[in-house]
Amino acid sequence: MPAEYTERSLLRYTEKVLELFRNPKNMGEMKDPTVVAVEGDPQCGDMFKMFLRIENNKIVDAKFLSFGCAANIATGSMTTELIKGKSVEEAEKLTIKQITDALGGLPALKMHCAVLAYKTLKKALQEYRAKSGGASA
Amino acid sequence: MPAEYTERSLLRYTEKVLELFRNPKNMGEMKDPTVVAVEGDPQCGDMFKMFLRIENNKIVDAKFLSFGCAANIATGSMTTELIKGKSVEEAEKLTIKQITDALGGLPALKMHCAVLAYKTLKKALQEYRAKSGGASA
Amino acid sequence: MKAYLDCGSTTWTHPQVVQEMRKYMEEDFGHPIFLYELGTRAAAAVDRAREVIAHSIGGKPEEIVFTSGATEANDIALRGVAYANRNRGRHIITTKVENPSVLRVCERLEKEGFKVDYLPVDSEGFVDPKTVEEKLTNETILVSIGNVNDEIGTIQNVEEIVKIVKERNQHTYFHVNAAAGYARVPIDVGHMGVDLLSISAHKIHGPKGAGALYVREGTRIEPIDYGYISLSALRPGTENIPGIMGFAKAVELAFDHFDAHIAHMRKLQARLMQGIEDKIPHVVLHGPRGEKRSPANVNYSFKGIEGESILLRLDMHGIAVATGSACSTRKLEPSHVLSAIGVKPEIAHGAIRFTFTWLTEEKEIDHALEVLPRVIEDLRRISPIKPEEM
Amino acid sequence: MKAYLDCGSTTWTHPQVVQEMRKYMEEDFGHPIFLYELGTRAAAAVDRAREVIAHSIGGKPEEIVFTSGATEANDIALRGVAYANRNRGRHIITTKVENPSVLRVCERLEKEGFKVDYLPVDSEGFVDPKTVEEKLTNETILVSIGNVNDEIGTIQNVEEIVKIVKERNQHTYFHVNAAAGYARVPIDVGHMGVDLLSISAHKIHGPKGAGALYVREGTRIEPIDYGYISLSALRPGTENIPGIMGFAKAVELAFDHFDAHIAHMRKLQARLMQGIEDKIPHVVLHGPRGEKRSPANVNYSFKGIEGESILLRLDMHGIAVATGSACSTRKLEPSHVLSAIGVKPEIAHGAIRFTFTWLTEEKEIDHALEVLPRVIEDLRRISPIKPEEM
Ligand SMILES: Cc1ncc(COP(=O)(O)O)c(C=O)c1O
Ligand SMILES: Cc1ncc(COP(=O)(O)O)c(C=O)c1O
């Protein structure tokens, strides 16, 4: 049977996603971040803002704001959790798959929300490199 | 909505029909009938046999046998009831509508069963006329 | 405390309905086509159900075709009439704000060579009868317009539109998808002059899997499905008798105190709207106010935040609501209804629909009104967008 | 004393099934597409039902499509596959003894330009696999054969026929209407090699209005109905969740002691056949004897009298049976199945079908055996035809 006729799992969240939606981590504004990046567009349904505080090339804190769905919020929580305490190089190596795997998977239709958080992180790291003059490894 | 799409009443019997099916009148063989007639064909699903005893141009008794459905049996009962005690002329004037009206109506699909009893009566009366040399009025 | 405020999607089945169904599952369970007593009892029961349902919309019992729901009723109405009348013309008129169960069928008919016009609506969701008039041609065989919009509650002026259609051509059929309006607003097929009308049991505390299509006597229509014919050639298959009987019981319960039910829903509606507008800033009402809005529907956007997040937060407090297009969350596009009335996408994304029935309790509304302001505030705090700047 | 011996037409709903349905009507009544808790519970429930039903036929959960019954499942299977594969060919093979829910769809497809071959059967209702082989062409896209005949209980050798079909062309799809065979004979879609298989809940003490179509992964099929899509695009409309859950519960109950159930039915069958043949002269058995007959079916003609009269007489004693073509009494033609096995019309008219399940009690059979000889004798006395001369 063609996949398009069994759409039952296209929208379901894993327990992990729902847990991170209900009790998000690292949510909120950050005062004096080293770098801030915004991605997305409210017209398209979501917008994501990431704050990083980087000291000695290490991400000592990460926070985010989200105008988005549960997938967006959960991915933001997971992404910031995964990079906190890591070096900028390590954070640059983080893949989208690592994030979604850590979430126990995302419904196919919600993948673009995960990508948004990831893109914002990439943008923030690039900005940091540009600012600090360092190139990515 | 075209009638063919609402067939709910095409097969339902009236209480009167069911009553005459459960307790048929004039059913069985007759010894020494004045005239006997058979109509129908078991291959077509029904066969009807009518016995009439006629004295002085009056139908003093009528009986029937049926290889048929409830409509057939009920119509046989009603037809024989309606002609008993009548003159041959009166019986000849009996219409199919009088019979089915007396039954409270028949489902459209079962009309041909009513017609069979009626046809058998007509045949029996014709036979009687032929036998007794008298013509119908 | 719980608050089920998504009755527009589906409702719980009334215990008396369940009781009625049980009778036709455990006792009078016969197949209605057979002549033995169990069969005739089933058939007689279906006849009674037909009467109850016909009566509730002003039709005749023999004009009721039982279906598995409004989706199927709409499909039979639209394709059944289109196929049976294609030799008279291939033009159909509907609106941009119909339920997907109408729109998807229209799109299918377009693929099969029919021409469909999707009428625009104004900012409150109303069809301008003049736009219907403009689109009518000699080829128009069918017009399909829902009497109540399921998302924003707009009560369409069906009667006036029917008049325009029928004045232009007596033989243009008029279909109404009344799934969202049934038992919420008065319906009389004679008075309205409609030829076909779809309703669904599970929106009125009847069972899922039961619905009906009213088909005016004489309407040219043909089946779209084929197979074993039990009571109706327009809808093959063994009848869902318990579903049908449960549906009829739900109709009785819904229409028994119809005026009181409406008054109750109007009271809930006023309380909810007042509460939201008093307690929460930066909200946008979708759909009309007052008499022309279904008494069972409230729909607001909460600026700066996204609907799914609101929905899931409310769910954490036992409150069930719908968001965006209640029927097409899968598409991740802003609701087609909100788009059609001109709501900007970023506002549409924050739309929450609250729907209730005559059985919804005031304390459910109050619970929602207690929780909602906190949820909105929390989500706004973590949003990068400022509601006052939208 | 009553005896319900028309389980092939429909069955009563098991009280545990009703109990299960009540749960999904009054408590977990949510719409499965929505993300709040009530919705996800409903969706999870449907997933569980899918597993139970898939397991019972050896399929995978995602290969189950819920329908409103076998009629709809057959229609989706036949037209869905025909439409999706019409570019590969327009030839379909079925048999003369299929249920009307298959035959009517085939006739429809003929009208739409498909060519359908209706295979003959032998005097016991068996298809000769060679006749299938002879009819297969490069144009053959679909073969549809029921595994058990609903009128005369013939258990078809589906496996062998599938092998022939697949050897000739891997891409010719094989559909089985298993409405009459499900829970009566073992079914394993993997072992049988079939691509599509239809089942119905109300024949196994589940609810009316629920059925399923098994569709093997990768099968080219398209919807035949359109509208609001909830969980499955192949079958639009809000799912009948209570029906689906009741269906799954019925499946559990039916398959829990499957072997014991079969043994019980075999015992009832032997008792009924022995009793009829011992007590009533001039009877004719329709369909095979022994292993190759469904354990749930007995079908005899009583010469010289007509089936409807027998049915109504038995009904006076609380006994429900079917006559002639159980599914087409409306046509007043002798059963197409009895015609196909060569039974003369005058014999076919006196055919009575007795069907039961694992829940039928021995005393029901005994009651029938007590009443039946008297009824037959009474009716023969008032028939103008002598049974010994037929
Ligand atoms: C306006 C409207 N039409 C049709 C439907 C579909 O009805 P059903 O669920 O009975 O198929 C719905 C509900 O989903 C609806 O709200
Ligand atoms: C063999 C067979 N196929 C199909 C059907 C139709 O199934 P349903 O009543 O679920 O539509 C029946 C019963 O009526 C049947 O016996």
Side-chain angles (χ1 to χ4, degrees):
Chain A
M1 186 159 39
E4 72 247 43
Y5 296 138
T6 50
E7 316 196 29
R8 71 203 168 88
S9 58
L10 293 188
L11 282 169
R12 300 277 151 224
Y13 289 129
T14 62
E15 244 330 294
K16 184 77 203 163
V17 171
L18 288 174
E19 166 56 25
L20 278 179
F21 168 76
R22 285 188 203 110
N23 303 297
K25 311 264 189 208
N26 313 314
M27 203 152 194
E29 216 136 353
M30 186 191 286
K31 279 181 201 145
D32 306 318
T34 315
V35 46
V36 186
V38 182
E39 272 285 359
D41 179 349
Q43 283 192 34
C44 304
D46 43 20
M47 192 171 166
F48 199 90
K49 190 169 190 174
M50 190 177 281
F51 308 85
L52 300 180
R53 177 164 305 127
I54 302 174
E55 291 169 8
N56 297 327
N57 219 38
K58 194 174 153 189
I59 299 169
V60 295
D61 199 11
K63 292 202 139 216
F64 74 99
L65 292 177
S66 160
F67 167 73
C69 61
N72 199 299
I73 290 172
T75 313
S77 294
M78 184 54 81
T79 307
T80 46
E81 278 295 277
L82 286 173
I83 57 169
K84 263 167 57 176
K86 298 269 165 67
S87 70
V88 171
E89 285 73 24
E90 283 171 320
E92 282 170 341
K93 286 192 197 125
L94 186 72
T95 66
I96 177 77
K97 185 159 185 307
Q98 284 171 316
I99 301 169
T100 55
D101 281 356
L103 290 169
L106 270 179
L109 277 171
K110 295 289 189 162
M111 277 319 266
H112 76 277
C113 310
V115 173
L116 187 67
Y118 182 70
K119 279 206 226 157
T120 317
L121 169 66
K122 290 277 143 169
K123 196 172 176 184
L125 293 173
Q126 276 167 14
E127 210 145 301
Y128 170 73
R129 290 290 189 189
K131 240 170 141 176
S132 64
S136 92
Chain B
M1 183 160 41
E4 74 248 43
Y5 297 139
T6 50
E7 317 196 30
R8 69 202 169 90
S9 59
L10 293 187
L11 283 168
R12 301 275 151 227
Y13 289 129
T14 62
E15 245 332 294
K16 184 79 203 162
V17 171
L18 287 174
E19 166 57 25
L20 276 179
F21 168 75
R22 287 188 201 111
N23 304 298
K25 312 262 188 209
N26 314 313
M27 205 152 193
E29 217 136 352
M30 186 191 288
K31 280 182 203 143
D32 307 317
T34 314
V35 46
V36 186
V38 182
E39 272 285 1
D41 179 349
Q43 284 191 34
C44 303
D46 45 20
M47 191 170 167
F48 199 89
K49 191 169 190 174
M50 191 177 280
F51 308 86
L52 300 181
R53 177 163 306 126
I54 302 175
E55 290 170 9
N56 297 329
N57 220 36
K58 193 172 155 192
I59 299 168
V60 296
D61 199 10
K63 290 199 143 229
F64 74 100
L65 293 176
S66 160
F67 167 73
C69 61
N72 198 300
I73 290 171
T75 313
S77 294
M78 185 52 81
T79 307
T80 46
E81 278 294 279
L82 286 173
I83 58 170
K84 262 166 56 173
K86 298 269 162 69
S87 71
V88 171
E89 285 74 21
E90 283 171 319
E92 282 171 340
K93 286 192 197 125
L94 186 71
T95 66
I96 178 74
K97 185 159 185 309
Q98 285 172 315
I99 301 169
T100 55
D101 281 356
L103 289 168
L106 270 178
L109 277 170
K110 295 289 188 163
M111 276 319 265
H112 77 279
C113 309
V115 173
L116 187 67
Y118 182 68
K119 279 205 226 157
T120 317
L121 169 66
K122 290 276 141 172
K123 195 173 177 183
L125 293 172
Q126 274 167 15
E127 210 145 302
Y128 170 72
R129 289 291 188 190
K131 240 171 141 177
S132 63
S136 95
Chain C
M1 181 66 211
K2 298 209 166 232
Y4 182 73
L5 299 175
D6 195 20
C7 295
S9 295
T10 193
T11 60
W12 64 96
T13 309
H14 194 291
Q16 283 186 46
V17 170
V18 175
Q19 209 43 49
E20 180 79 356
M21 291 174 71
R22 175 196 282 271
K23 176 163 186 283
Y24 291 92
M25 293 199 275
E26 297 188 355
E27 293 158 36
D28 288 358
F29 63 84
H31 196 301
I33 201 67
F34 296 106
L35 286 175
Y36 44 72
E37 203 198 332
L38 269 177
T40 52
R41 287 168 86 105
V46 174
D47 283 348
R48 281 199 307 280
R50 224 183 274 278
E51 258 170 52
V52 168
I53 290 166
H55 182 73
S56 76
I57 56 169
K60 284 183 273 180
E62 59 274 19
E63 294 173 322
I64 299 296
V65 178
F66 289 109
T67 69
S68 65
T71 296
E72 193 178 55
N74 289 336
D75 199 9
I76 296 174
L78 294 167
R79 290 199 294 136
V81 165
Y83 296 164
N85 296 276
R86 49 154 60 101
N87 60 335
R88 288 180 34 219
R90 297 179 162 238
H91 182 230
I92 293 165
I93 298 175
T94 185
T95 82
K96 285 190 202 298
V97 295
E98 297 308 311
N99 184 267
S101 58
V102 167
L103 294 177
R104 295 295 91 74
V105 181
C106 287
E107 288 160 14
R108 173 70 196 177
L109 286 168
E110 284 185 287
K111 277 198 189 159
E112 296 179 6
F114 290 83
K115 186 179 175 308
V116 183
D117 274 309
Y118 302 89
L119 299 177
V121 294
D122 69 14
S123 64
E124 289 183 333
F126 292 103
V127 171
D128 181 348
K130 279 206 206 87
T131 61
V132 182
E133 200 163 7
E134 282 162 20
K135 292 289 179 193
L136 283 168
T137 73
N138 294 337
E139 293 278 296
T140 313
I141 51 176
L142 178 66
V143 179
S144 176
I145 300 182
N147 61 335
V148 170
N149 185 278
D150 51 320
E151 287 188 42
I152 57 171
T154 314
I155 302 177
Q156 219 60 256
N157 194 344
V158 171
E159 230 178 289
E160 192 185 334
I161 302 174
V162 172
K163 209 178 281 168
I164 289 171
V165 170
K166 295 289 180 181
E167 263 167 25
R168 163 84 202 223
N169 184 349
Q170 260 307 114
H171 299 296
T172 301
Y173 292 115
F174 203 102
H175 168 249
V176 168
N177 173 20
Y182 188 49
R184 274 85 171 165
V185 302
I187 292 175
D188 185 318
V189 289
H191 202 244
M192 292 157 86
V194 306
D195 304 296
L196 304 111
L197 187 133
S198 310
I199 52 180
S200 179
H202 74 94
K203 313 261 187 199
I204 64 159
H205 300 289
K208 291 181 180 64
L213 176 64
Y214 162 82
V215 184
R216 183 180 296 280
E217 224 181 313
T219 301
R220 259 167 81 171
I221 186 166
E222 62 177 55
I224 59 168
D225 292 309
Y226 298 88
Y228 163 60
I229 294 166
S230 173
L231 299 181
S232 157
L234 256 192
R235 206 291 181 181
T238 299
E239 280 71 23
N240 177 0
I241 310 257
I244 289 169
M245 298 317 291
F247 188 8
K249 173 57 77 179
V251 170
E252 278 174 7
L253 293 170
F255 284 87
D256 228 18
H257 302 278
F258 187 65
D259 292 341
H261 288 168
I262 303 293
H264 177 68
M265 289 187 282
R266 282 276 177 226
K267 195 167 139 203
L268 299 184
Q269 182 180 47
R271 193 176 185 87
L272 182 57
M273 288 173 71
Q274 188 75 51
I276 289 174
E277 295 181 8
D278 283 355
K279 296 180 174 196
I280 307 175
H282 310 300
V283 301
V284 183
L285 176 70
H286 304 302
R289 281 181 198 272
E291 286 282 295
K292 294 242 165 174
R293 181 181 199 105
S294 161
N297 176 298
V298 167
N299 191 328
Y300 282 96
S301 272
F302 300 92
K303 288 182 173 184
I305 49 181
E306 195 269 348
E308 186 190 286
S309 291
I310 303 173
L311 182 152
L312 285 170
R313 287 271 165 163
L314 289 176
D315 188 39
M316 287 163 68
H317 296 89
I319 301 167
V321 299
T323 172
S325 172
C327 283
S328 62
T329 47
R330 180 182 297 108
K331 299 182 79 188
L332 301 183
E333 279 173 13
S335 143
H336 71 290
V337 173
L338 298 182
S339 300
I341 62 172
V343 178
K344 288 188 289 180
E346 61 268 36
I347 304 286
H349 283 299
I352 293 292
R353 182 188 77 170
F354 308 82
T355 45
F356 28 86
T357 71
W358 44 102
L359 297 182
T360 304
E361 295 177 52
E362 200 165 293
K363 63 180 187 225
E364 295 181 89
I365 301 293
D366 290 343
H367 178 53
L369 282 175
E370 204 193 299
V371 172
L372 190 61
R374 276 187 281 143
V375 162
I376 301 299
E377 207 184 308
D378 281 359
L379 286 170
R380 277 184 177 157
R381 204 175 303 127
I382 59 172
S383 170
I385 297 173
K386 296 208 179 351
E388 57 275 22
E389 289 171 7
M390 288 186 89
Chain D
M1 181 69 211
K2 299 211 166 229
Y4 182 73
L5 300 174
D6 195 20
C7 295
S9 295
T10 194
T11 60
W12 65 96
T13 308
H14 193 290
Q16 282 186 47
V17 170
V18 175
Q19 208 43 47
E20 181 79 356
M21 290 173 71
R22 174 196 284 270
K23 176 163 186 283
Y24 291 92
M25 292 199 276
E26 297 188 355
E27 292 158 36
D28 287 358
F29 63 86
H31 197 300
I33 201 67
F34 295 107
L35 285 177
Y36 45 71
E37 203 199 331
L38 270 177
T40 53
R41 286 168 88 106
V46 173
D47 283 348
R48 282 200 308 281
R50 223 184 275 277
E51 259 170 52
V52 168
I53 291 166
H55 183 73
S56 76
I57 56 168
K60 283 182 274 180
E62 59 273 21
E63 294 174 322
I64 300 296
V65 178
F66 290 109
T67 69
S68 66
T71 296
E72 192 177 55
N74 289 335
D75 198 10
I76 296 173
L78 295 167
R79 290 199 294 137
V81 165
Y83 296 163
N85 295 276
R86 49 154 61 102
N87 59 335
R88 288 179 37 220
R90 295 179 163 239
H91 182 230
I92 293 165
I93 298 175
T94 185
T95 81
K96 285 190 201 298
V97 295
E98 297 307 312
N99 183 268
S101 57
V102 166
L103 293 177
R104 293 296 90 75
V105 181
C106 288
E107 288 160 13
R108 172 71 195 176
L109 285 168
E110 284 185 287
K111 277 199 188 158
E112 296 179 7
F114 289 83
K115 185 177 174 308
V116 183
D117 274 309
Y118 301 89
L119 299 177
V121 294
D122 70 14
S123 63
E124 289 183 333
F126 292 103
V127 172
D128 181 347
K130 278 206 209 87
T131 61
V132 182
E133 200 164 7
E134 282 162 21
K135 291 290 179 193
L136 284 167
T137 73
N138 294 337
E139 293 279 297
T140 313
I141 50 174
L142 178 66
V143 179
S144 176
I145 299 184
N147 62 334
V148 169
N149 185 279
D150 53 319
E151 287 189 41
I152 57 171
T154 314
I155 303 178
Q156 220 59 258
N157 194 343
V158 171
E159 230 178 289
E160 193 185 335
I161 302 173
V162 172
K163 209 178 282 167
I164 289 170
V165 170
K166 295 290 180 179
E167 263 168 25
R168 163 85 202 224
N169 185 349
Q170 261 305 117
H171 300 296
T172 301
Y173 291 116
F174 203 102
H175 169 249
V176 168
N177 173 19
Y182 188 50
R184 275 81 171 168
V185 303
I187 292 175
D188 185 318
V189 288
H191 202 245
M192 293 158 87
V194 306
D195 304 296
L196 304 112
L197 187 132
S198 309
I199 53 179
S200 179
H202 74 94
K203 314 262 185 197
I204 64 159
H205 301 289
K208 291 181 181 62
L213 177 64
Y214 162 82
V215 184
R216 184 181 296 281
E217 223 182 310
T219 301
R220 259 168 78 172
I221 187 166
E222 62 177 57
I224 60 168
D225 292 309
Y226 298 89
Y228 164 60
I229 293 167
S230 173
L231 300 181
S232 157
L234 256 191
R235 206 291 181 183
T238 299
E239 280 72 22
N240 177 0
I241 311 257
I244 288 169
M245 299 317 290
F247 188 9
K249 174 57 78 179
V251 170
E252 279 174 6
L253 294 169
F255 284 87
D256 228 18
H257 302 279
F258 187 63
D259 292 341
H261 288 170
I262 302 294
H264 177 67
M265 289 187 281
R266 281 277 177 228
K267 195 169 140 202
L268 299 184
Q269 182 180 47
R271 192 178 185 87
L272 182 57
M273 288 174 70
Q274 189 75 50
I276 288 174
E277 293 181 9
D278 284 354
K279 295 182 174 194
I280 306 174
H282 311 299
V283 301
V284 184
L285 177 70
H286 303 303
R289 280 181 198 275
E291 285 281 295
K292 294 242 166 171
R293 182 182 198 103
S294 162
N297 175 297
V298 167
N299 191 327
Y300 283 96
S301 272
F302 301 91
K303 288 182 172 182
I305 49 181
E306 196 268 348
E308 186 190 287
S309 290
I310 303 173
L311 181 151
L312 286 170
R313 288 271 167 165
L314 290 176
D315 188 38
M316 288 162 67
H317 296 90
I319 302 166
V321 298
T323 173
S325 173
C327 284
S328 62
T329 46
R330 178 183 299 108
K331 298 181 80 187
L332 301 183
E333 279 172 16
S335 141
H336 70 290
V337 174
L338 298 181
S339 301
I341 62 171
V343 178
K344 288 187 289 182
E346 60 270 35
I347 305 288
H349 282 298
I352 294 292
R353 181 188 78 167
F354 308 83
T355 44
F356 29 84
T357 71
W358 45 101
L359 296 181
T360 305
E361 294 178 53
E362 201 166 290
K363 63 179 190 230
E364 294 181 89
I365 301 292
D366 291 343
H367 178 53
L369 282 175
E370 204 194 299
V371 172
L372 189 62
R374 276 189 279 142
V375 162
I376 301 300
E377 209 185 306
D378 280 359
L379 286 171
R380 278 184 177 154
R381 204 176 304 126
I382 59 171
S383 171
I385 297 172
K386 295 209 180 349
E388 57 275 23
E389 290 171 8
M390 289 186 90

